[in-house]
Structure formats: structure tokens, C-alpha cells
């Protein structure tokens, strides 16, 4: 029996043995899910307790309340708005956001520092809500179980478990990319449903790409899918176009509102010291080179300020504009 035929046979039989297919809350199509909604919520609750024990929430009630308010607005637009979503800002300089099963959403202070509007924050949260809405974590866990069974059974038949592990990793990687693109589409849809311009989903990805490029490497293989600027990527623009049927974006993006909310945001340096995101109003003659001279950034500080303010790689501020710096 050919390897591909054997793998397909084992996966299909394992899936049939372990569970029937559930239905996607988003598409209505069948999907593998070996966990009920109640089990999903219970799993998320337990994981949430573990995360909070290891990664303390950011100690600013105002910031937590603001993120929760925007998160709840976005969750109300989702395909699983029956869930009790929980939003937590983690005190972590890493640029990251993630979701747990059952509606637990996290964003780090590090990522918040690089967002430049309320709509962009909503896009990040909408993306993570999309993962929960389509039960992506549950699907991954379910396929992990099936994959473990398949690896064990096939490994015994062909005597090469290392090869099977490699094949499994490649399969999960591709599946994860598919999920990420789907979550972008859902994030854009929920933005539109909430009244924001869904194009802010592209702004989020552009900022994350700029951050990766500034830091010197593709830290996220998924974002490498967008070989051009997200505004020019056909797949992403198709998703944004589809989202526009729910609205064209009459709600203000809330740039200054968001910036004022994160003014004073503290970021740990890892050596017991912290820096803060501070706002300033650009004066005539200011540029990022002059602003960098008074910041606590080092190593190409002017370019870092461009990334921080969504003006990478060669943008400059204009007089009267609010910009972020690090003090």
C-alpha cells in the first residue's frame, strides 16, 4: 500500500472511531471536534487559571476595562455570541495575542504598544474571537489526537515514526495557516458588523509585518504568506471586500482615543526596569530622527519609532499629530 493511501486510510478510520463530525458554528460545514462546548469551556477555564498564575495581568484597571469593552463589542458580532468571553491584558513586552477554547482572549502590553487605533485593537481581538468562533483550538486538539493514533499505527507498519512525525508537523502547519487566514476574514467581518472599516484588519497585519522586518526576521510564517503589502494582497482584500457587505465603516477608527488610553503604558525591560509609552504632539520641524534623540530607544531608534507609529519604513509625522515615543 502506498504511504499516502495508508495515511488516508488510517486517518479516516481513526476519525470514524473517535467521533462523528460536528458542525462549524461559522460555515455550517462538518468539522472534526472531539470536545463538546461544555468541555471546551471547562478546558478554557482551567487553562486560563494556569496562564494567569504564570503571566500576571497588567495592573491598570482602566486599560483592562477599555480592552474588555472593545472585546465585548466585537464578541457580540461573532457566530458564538452565546459564549461568555473574557478579555485579559497581560503584562508582557512580547508582541502577541492569543485565544483559548471557550472564549478566553489575551493581548499583551507589548502588542498594544504597536497598535495605533481603537479599530486596530478591535481587529486584533476580532481575529482571536474568530479562532474561538470556528473552534480552531478544538479542531487542532482533535486532529492532534487523531494524528497521534495515526503516527503510532502507521509507524508500526512502515517502521519510520520520525518520517510520520515530520509529515504530521507539516500538515498541522498548513492547517494553522488556513485557520489564520480564516480568522482574518472573521476579524474583518466582525469589524464591519461593529461599524468599523474592515480594512483595519490589513492595518494590523501590516504593523505586525513591519515589526517582524524591523526585528530582522519572519518570526511568524503565516505573515510570510502576504508576499506584498497586505493592502495589495488579493486574498486578504477579497476577505475585506466580502466583509463590507455587513457595513462600510461609519464608526470612527478612534486613533486619538486609543493613543490617549495607552499613554503611560508600562513595558518591562526584563532587568527590573520599565519604560513607558508616552504621547507627544508633533511640532513644526520635528521628525523621527529628532524625536528619537529624546527617547529611551536604542538601536535604530528613528526606524523603531516609525514601526511604533505605523509609519514604517519611511514615513514622517506631521505638525499637530499625536505620536508615541518611549520614555
Amino acid at each position: 500500500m502506498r504511504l499516502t493511501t495508508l495515511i488516508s486510510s488510517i486517518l479516516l478510520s481513526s476519525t470514524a472511531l473517535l467521533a462523528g463530525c460536528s458542525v462549524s458554528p461559522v460555515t455550517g460545514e462538518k468539522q472534526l471536534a472531539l470536545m463538546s462546548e461544555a468541555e471546551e469551556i471547562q478546558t478554557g477555564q482551567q487553562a486560563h487559571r494556569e496562564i494567569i498564575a504564570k503571566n500576571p495581568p497588567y495592573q491598570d484597571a482602566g486599560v483592562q476595562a477599555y480592552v474588555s469593552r472593545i472585546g465585548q463589542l466585537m464578541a457580540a458580532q461573532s457566530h458564538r455570541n452565546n459564549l461568555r468571553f473574557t478579555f485579559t491584558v497581560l503584562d508582557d513586552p512580547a508582541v502577541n495575542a492569543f485565544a483559548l477554547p471557550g472564549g478566553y482572549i489575551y493581548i499583551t502590553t507589548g502588542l498594544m504598544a504597536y497598535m495605533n487605533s481603537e479599530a486596530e485593537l478591535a481587529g486584533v481581538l476580532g481575529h482571536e474571537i474568530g479562532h474561538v468562533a470556528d473552534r480552531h483550538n478544538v479542531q487542532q486538539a482533535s486532529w492532534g489526537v487523531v494524528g497521534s493514533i495515526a503516527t503510532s499505527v502507521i509507524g508500526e507498519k512502515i517502521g519510520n515514526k520520525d518520517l510520520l512525525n515530520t509529515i504530521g508537523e507539516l500538515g498541522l502547519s498548513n492547517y494553522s495557516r488556513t485557520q489564520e487566514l480564516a480568522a482574518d476574514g472573521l476579524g474583518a467581518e466582525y469589524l464591519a458588523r461593529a461599524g468599523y472599516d474592515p480594512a483595519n484588519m490589513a492595518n494590523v497585519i501590516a504593523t505586525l509585518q513591519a515589526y517582524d522586518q524591523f526585528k530582522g526576521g519572519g518570526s511568524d510564517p503565516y505573515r510570510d504568506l502576504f508576499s506584498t503589502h497586505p493592502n495589495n494582497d488579493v486574498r486578504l482584500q477579497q476577505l475585506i471586500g466580502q466583509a463590507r457587505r455587513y457595513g462600510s465603516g461609519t464608526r470612527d477608527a478612534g486613533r486619538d482615543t486609543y493613543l490617549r488610553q495607552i499613554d503611560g503604558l508600562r513595558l518591562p525591560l526584563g532587568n527590573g526596569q520599565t519604560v513607558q509609552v508616552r504621547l507627544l504632539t508633533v511640532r513644526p520641524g520635528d521628525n523621527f530622527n529628532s524625536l528619537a534623540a529624546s527617547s529611551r530607544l536604542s538601536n535604530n531608534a528613528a526606524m523603531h519609532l516609525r514601526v511604533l507609529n505605523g509609519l514604517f519604513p519611511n514615513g514622517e509625522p506631521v505638525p499637530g499629530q499625536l505620536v508615541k515615543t518611549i520614555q
Side-chain angles (χ1 to χ4, degrees):
M1 183 182 290
R2 290 186 347 182
L3 178 60
T4 53
T5 304
L6 178 60
I7 291 174
S8 298
S9 175
I10 295 295
L11 283 174
L12 288 172
S13 61
S14 298
T15 303
L17 286 171
L18 287 169
C21 288
S22 66
V23 176
S24 164
V26 173
T27 65
E29 298 175 355
K30 291 183 178 180
Q31 61 179 201
L32 179 66
L34 308 182
M35 192 183 296
S36 69
E37 185 173 279
E39 291 169 330
E40 176 188 357
I41 293 171
Q42 184 178 10
T43 299
Q45 289 172 339
Q46 177 60 36
H48 176 68
R49 288 192 290 268
E50 294 174 4
I51 285 176
I52 294 303
K54 296 178 181 178
N55 303 274
Y58 183 59
Q59 296 301 306
D60 187 312
V63 170
Q64 293 285 357
Y66 176 69
V67 170
S68 181
R69 179 172 65 80
I70 301 303
Q72 295 300 342
L73 170 66
M74 296 298 288
Q77 319 307 320
S78 81
H79 295 78
R80 298 181 73 191
N81 54 18
N82 61 300
L83 288 179
R84 183 178 178 179
F85 281 84
T86 300
F87 298 89
T88 305
V89 180
L90 297 178
D91 194 358
D92 188 340
V95 176
N96 196 20
F98 59 97
L100 293 181
Y104 292 87
I105 311 292
Y106 307 86
I107 184 170
T108 63
T109 50
L111 178 53
M112 287 190 68
Y114 285 88
M115 295 295 99
N116 282 284
S117 72
E118 185 173 283
E120 290 180 14
L121 170 65
V124 171
L125 300 178
H127 174 101
E128 299 304 332
I129 291 167
H131 281 308
V132 175
D134 208 13
R135 307 192 80 196
H136 288 164
N137 279 319
V138 174
Q139 290 178 67
Q140 284 190 329
S142 301
W143 280 111
V145 171
V146 173
S148 296
I149 294 174
T151 298
S152 176
V153 174
I154 300 172
E156 291 178 2
K157 290 182 177 292
I158 68 174
N160 191 342
K161 290 188 177 182
D162 289 339
L163 172 61
L164 266 296
N165 285 330
T166 299
I167 293 172
E169 290 170 2
L170 290 173
L172 287 175
S173 175
N174 290 332
Y175 187 59
S176 179
R177 289 184 175 198
T178 300
Q179 288 179 328
E180 293 288 0
L181 192 60
D184 281 340
L186 289 171
E189 177 180 331
Y190 300 158
L191 279 169
R193 287 180 181 271
Y196 295 108
D197 187 342
N200 282 284
M201 202 68 245
N203 296 345
V204 170
I205 296 171
T207 295
L208 295 176
Q209 280 186 321
Y211 176 82
D212 286 347
Q213 187 174 343
F214 174 74
K215 290 297 183 180
S219 60
D220 186 342
Y222 160 66
R223 291 197 288 272
D224 292 341
L225 285 174
F226 303 106
S227 57
T228 62
H229 190 283
N231 285 340
N232 299 321
D233 186 87
V234 174
R235 292 159 298 181
L236 184 59
Q237 291 307 313
Q238 285 175 339
L239 293 174
I240 291 172
Q242 292 167 4
R244 289 195 189 282
R245 69 176 181 266
Y246 300 103
S248 57
T250 57
R251 183 188 291 266
D252 184 78
R255 182 182 185 277
D256 286 1
T257 299
Y258 178 77
L259 294 182
R260 290 194 171 94
Q261 188 66 54
I262 66 168
D263 188 21
L265 191 75
R266 299 180 304 278
L267 300 173
L269 294 178
N271 56 3
Q273 295 182 320
T274 62
V275 294
Q276 286 185 304
V277 175
R278 302 302 306 189
L279 297 184
L280 57 83
T281 302
V282 177
R283 299 170 300 182
D286 283 344
N287 56 40
F288 282 126
N289 283 324
S290 63
L291 296 177
S294 61
S295 80
R296 291 184 63 185
L297 292 172
S298 57
N299 301 324
N300 204 359
M303 191 61 73
H304 199 162
L305 286 179
R306 289 188 178 93
V307 177
L308 193 70
N309 287 281
L311 292 169
F312 181 84
N314 52 18
E316 292 290 354
V318 298
Q321 178 181 1
L322 280 178
V323 295
K324 292 175 287 184
T325 185
I326 299 295
Q327 298 297 335

